[in-house]
Amino acid sequence: MAVWTDAVRAVPGGVALLVEASPGARDERFPAGFNPWRGRLGVRVRAPAQDGRANEAIVRLVAAFFGVPASAVHLDLGHLDSRKQLTIAGMSVETASSLLSKALQE
């Protein structure tokens, strides 16, 4: 079974995150747990999955969590899917993992 650290990977120039989005949620949260079957961190946003609004909300929420500008977060894969890959420019796996570890209480 996958562990949440499998959803955080080093890529050239930063770190990639595998996430599973829940648009139209009652609350906004990142990380919103970990789905071990899909190997992805959860992200919940209020915005609907229409006209890219949920994707924009995900980018803003992830950027706020990691304390980086939204321009440092890029949606690489999954523009029309709940399974997404985001890249955070200039961040190390160690930094991202440390912040996620605290939030996921592991």
Side-chain angles (χ1 to χ4, degrees):
M1 187 175 304
V3 294
W4 71 263
T5 54
D6 294 339
V8 182
R9 299 180 181 153
V11 294
V15 65
L17 300 177
L18 300 177
V19 301
E20 184 172 17
S22 296
R26 282 190 240 171
D27 62 336
E28 294 197 330
R29 189 172 354 139
F30 177 79
F34 175 73
N35 182 332
W37 303 109
R38 290 195 174 176
R40 293 175 182 272
L41 298 162
V43 58
R44 301 171 54 89
V45 293
R46 289 187 187 101
Q50 297 172 336
D51 303 320
R53 289 186 275 179
N55 289 337
E56 291 172 9
I58 290 166
V59 166
R60 284 193 307 272
L61 186 61
V62 170
F65 175 81
F66 287 107
V68 299
S71 61
V73 180
H74 184 262
L75 177 60
D76 298 319
L77 300 170
H79 290 82
L80 301 177
D81 193 332
S82 63
R83 293 169 293 175
K84 302 179 183 299
Q85 178 178 305
L86 301 166
T87 298
I88 305 170
M91 181 160 291
S92 70
V93 169
E94 294 78 19
T95 300
S97 294
S98 174
L99 292 167
L100 287 165
S101 179
K102 292 174 188 172
L104 293 168
Q105 300 176 356
E106 290 192 10

